Amino acid sequence: MAPLSHLSIRARLVWGAALVLLAFLAGAGWAVQQAHADSVRAARFARLQATIYLLMAGAELNAQGALLMPAALAEPRLSVPASGLYANIANADRGEEWQSASTLGLNPPFQRQLATGEWRFETLVAPPAQRGDKAEAAAAFLAATYAVKWSDKAHTATLVFSVLEDKAVLDRELAAFKGTLWRWLGGTGLLLLFTQTLLLRWGLAPLARMTREIQHIERGEQTRVQGRYPRELAGLTHNLNTLIDQERARQTRYKHALDDLAHSLKTPLAVLRAALPEPSQLPTLVAEQVSRMDDIVVHQLGRAGASGAARFAPQLALAPILQRVCDSLAKVYLDKQLVFNVDCPPELTWRIDEGDAFEMLGNVLDNAAKWARHSVSVRLWLQAGRLCLRVTDDGPGFGDRQAVLQRRVRLDEQVPGHGIGLAVVSDLVASHQGELTLSRAQAGGAQLDIVLPAA
């Protein structure tokens, strides 16, 4: 047998159910067998006690005080030799005793001594009889004994009534019941195990179906887990689909980033190629185009590295990250003496990758600080289960808002000053299925709003 750790769920359940069922049936069968044996044994002793009452009804003492018994008894088995039912009455005062005709040729182990008024029920074993050179097996008997002070007119005697029944009769009855009981229990156990196996197969069918769907996804035959599953598996299928979508979105971003990178680098390369015949202009053009290509690479790498909606990311406290970004920008733009007004509850958390949080907050605040004259305001809050971010500055505001956020616009075609950072933020927000809005602040300057739905 394979190690338990390698067994399938179905095999574990079947083996576990089989062991539990076996233990239950064994315990139940043993209990029923013992209860039946006790009941039958008690009924046998009750019959022996009734036989003693029959003997007492027929017993008499004669004029000399000797015991007299009728020739015919109410229990016919006592008159048939070796019938299996034997009786004895001992008169302890006169040293005499009476035995039923069924004891002819036998020597049953009757009890002849007992305290007056006492009942005794027990199992007695007769010594093995010797027949020729062979000794027969010892016989066992169920015994009921009762001693009574018997008074009849002028005579009184102490009589001990003893009745025996061959235990083989009881053993045969118990053996027959035992065989029937265990046959029925065995058949019932097999039927239950078969039924339980069918139920387990039916209950685990959704797992098998899900396994087949995942195999189809691995082979490229389908793109998602499409089947409808029980409530216990619905969350798993939803998370699997979310993970697949995130991975597919990440691959799409990589593809688009490489495509856009190649597309964006064409212009700087064309400029450098065109300047080759004029060596005097090469140093200036090389420095200019290398700087532009560096911006392009930074932009595309930022887009490709966006993690996207992170259902499996831990909750992230945003206040410390926002404060670190503001402190860093205050040092970068120290000559402008900017004031950063931060409004973010310290307990506010959101399920987002830390790198995405730094990228998003850093770019929008850097863009605001670049164009602000004196102050930048940033606010983070939760509303209707969504994360809201608003950044305003007192600068000149946005020029062409559509060109700033338009996807696939090359860096050399974007609005000056608002190209790289906000394009990265736009892609990050899109990867989180959020919304980014550019507008003019009430006090003048630029206003940027981002709304992210729950992952």
Side-chain angles (χ1 to χ4, degrees):
M1 183 188 301
L4 292 180
S5 59
H6 295 163
L7 289 178
S8 65
I9 294 178
R10 178 179 299 174
R12 294 184 186 196
L13 291 175
V14 170
W15 278 105
L19 292 176
V20 171
L21 183 62
L22 179 62
F24 172 78
L25 291 179
W30 180 84
V32 171
Q33 181 179 322
Q34 291 299 117
H36 177 263
D38 293 341
S39 175
V40 172
R41 189 176 290 104
R44 293 282 178 176
F45 281 128
R47 288 171 57 181
L48 295 180
Q49 187 178 35
T51 302
I52 288 179
Y53 285 135
L54 290 176
L55 294 176
M56 292 174 64
E60 295 182 359
L61 296 177
N62 61 15
Q64 291 76 30
L67 177 64
L68 291 179
M69 293 295 293
L73 298 172
E75 173 56 65
R77 294 174 61 195
L78 292 176
S79 301
V80 179
S83 64
L85 183 65
Y86 313 104
N88 175 277
I89 305 175
N91 188 342
D93 296 338
R94 296 177 60 91
E96 63 177 359
E97 61 181 54
W98 171 90
Q99 290 189 0
S100 63
S102 59
T103 63
L104 184 64
L106 301 175
N107 184 27
F110 293 112
Q111 290 284 1
R112 295 176 175 84
Q113 299 292 330
L114 194 65
T116 303
E118 179 183 352
W119 282 96
R120 179 179 294 177
F121 301 96
E122 58 189 337
T123 300
L124 300 176
V125 178
Q130 193 76 25
R131 289 191 177 182
D133 296 334
K134 296 182 180 180
E136 295 183 349
F141 298 89
L142 298 178
T145 308
Y146 180 63
V148 63
K149 198 74 172 179
W150 194 269
S151 296
D152 188 358
K153 297 180 181 179
H155 299 283
T156 300
T158 300
L159 302 181
V160 178
F161 294 83
S162 180
V163 178
L164 304 182
E165 185 179 27
D166 194 343
K167 189 172 177 291
V169 179
L170 172 65
D171 292 339
R172 285 194 296 270
E173 181 177 350
L174 294 180
F177 177 81
K178 179 180 178 181
T180 303
L181 172 67
W182 289 108
R183 280 194 298 272
W184 276 99
L185 284 178
T188 303
L190 291 176
L191 179 61
L192 287 176
L193 187 59
F194 176 72
T195 304
Q196 198 162 24
T197 302
L198 292 180
L199 288 175
L200 287 174
R201 183 176 182 180
W202 174 71
L204 295 175
L207 287 176
R209 193 166 72 251
M210 182 184 293
T211 301
R212 289 194 296 271
E213 284 210 62
I214 293 175
Q215 291 173 348
H216 292 163
I217 293 174
E218 291 174 348
R219 292 196 294 264
E221 298 173 3
Q222 64 186 68
T223 59
R224 295 169 58 86
V225 180
Q226 300 170 347
R228 299 186 61 181
Y229 291 92
R231 184 170 57 253
E232 293 81 1
L233 296 178
L236 176 60
T237 57
H238 179 68
N239 288 338
L240 279 174
N241 284 333
T242 301
L243 189 61
I244 292 171
D245 291 342
Q246 289 182 1
E247 183 61 27
R248 188 170 289 112
R250 183 178 291 109
Q251 292 177 358
T252 301
R253 283 198 304 274
Y254 290 155
K255 181 178 180 299
H256 287 168
L258 292 175
D259 184 24
D260 293 348
L261 181 61
H263 184 68
S264 299
L265 289 176
K266 287 181 179 179
T267 299
L269 291 174
V271 171
L272 292 175
R273 187 178 295 108
L276 289 177
E278 302 179 11
S280 60
Q281 299 181 6
L282 275 179
T284 303
L285 286 175
V286 168
E288 179 184 337
Q289 299 306 317
V290 166
S291 176
R292 178 179 294 183
M293 286 189 288
D294 182 63
D295 290 340
I296 292 173
V297 171
V298 170
H299 167 56
Q300 300 298 349
L301 288 179
R303 287 173 54 188
S307 295
R311 172 177 295 274
F312 308 105
Q315 293 284 345
L316 182 67
L318 296 179
I321 293 178
L322 183 58
Q323 192 61 51
R324 287 173 58 186
V325 171
C326 290
D327 292 344
S328 299
L329 291 176
K331 297 175 182 178
V332 173
Y333 297 98
L334 184 61
D335 57 328
K336 300 177 69 173
Q337 297 295 313
L338 292 178
V339 176
F340 288 88
N341 301 309
V342 179
D343 180 8
C344 177
E347 70 279 1
L348 190 151
T349 61
W350 193 251
R351 196 180 295 277
I352 186 173
D353 180 77
E354 186 176 13
D356 284 3
F358 272 109
E359 191 76 21
M360 190 179 299
L361 294 173
N363 278 308
V364 296
L365 288 173
D366 179 65
N367 187 81
K370 184 184 300 181
W371 293 97
R373 295 188 178 92
H374 304 291
S375 65
V376 174
S377 298
V378 55
R379 182 188 175 202
L380 271 172
W381 74 98
L382 294 178
Q383 181 177 340
R386 300 183 300 174
L387 178 67
C388 300
L389 167 67
R390 174 169 293 172
V391 177
T392 59
D393 62 65
D394 57 356
F398 295 107
D400 188 349
R401 302 170 193 167
Q402 297 299 324
V404 171
L405 299 180
Q406 185 178 356
R407 190 190 181 280
R408 298 299 299 270
V409 173
R410 298 207 321 244
L411 264 69
D412 55 328
E413 299 172 354
Q414 290 183 355
V415 177
H418 294 292
I420 299 175
L422 291 187
V424 172
V425 172
S426 178
D427 287 334
L428 277 171
V429 172
S431 69
H432 285 262
Q433 290 81 48
E435 299 177 2
L436 187 152
T437 305
L438 303 180
S439 60
R440 187 168 186 82
Q442 293 181 354
Q447 177 174 310
L448 182 146
D449 289 282
I450 295 176
V451 179
L452 299 182

